[in-house]
Amino acid sequence: MIATILLQAAAGGSNGFGMLIPMVLIIAVFYFFMIRPQVKKQKDQKKYVEELKKGDRVVTTAGIHGKIIDLNETTFLVEVDNGKIRFDKSAISLDASKALNTPPAVAKS
């Protein structure tokens, strides 16, 4: 489809160029609303995982709550109520962990 539009534009057809502008706009909207936010979220996740240390409370993507007691290069050991479990660092849920560590807001009366 794009090749056909480009051929029409190269042949001098004004209709081909007119169809090319909406395609460029669709690609730009797709980039700014889909790709860019996902890349930013991945960078935030990576930065959060790199900053973890012993004693931090985390929530895994499986929903397991615990406290980090040991860190390795690619894994961490989490202490839960009934024991210890080793997880891969990619198993940390950034959003849930931040919500767990953020103190609740005090309602004003």
Side-chain angles (χ1 to χ4, degrees), residues 32-43:
F32 283 108
F33 287 106
M34 301 285 285
I35 297 171
R36 191 169 174 217
Q38 183 64 29
V39 169
K40 183 181 183 305
K41 188 174 182 179
Q42 288 173 343
K43 285 181 183 179

Side-chain angles (χ1 to χ4, degrees), residues 39-91:
V39 169
K40 183 181 183 305
K41 188 174 182 179
Q42 288 173 343
K43 285 181 183 179
D44 291 344
Q45 173 77 19
K46 183 178 179 183
K47 181 181 174 190
Y48 181 74
V49 169
E50 288 173 354
E51 292 174 352
L52 287 174
K53 59 188 178 301
K54 290 182 184 180
D56 287 347
R57 294 176 15 192
V58 294
V59 179
T60 65
T61 54
I64 297 173
H65 295 239
K67 184 170 73 171
I68 295 177
I69 59 174
D70 185 35
L71 287 167
N72 289 340
E73 192 170 312
T74 58
T75 62
F76 59 95
L77 190 62
V78 175
E79 182 179 30
V80 294
D81 289 340
N82 297 331
K84 301 172 187 175
I85 305 173
R86 183 164 300 278
F87 286 100
D88 190 55
K89 284 188 175 181
S90 64

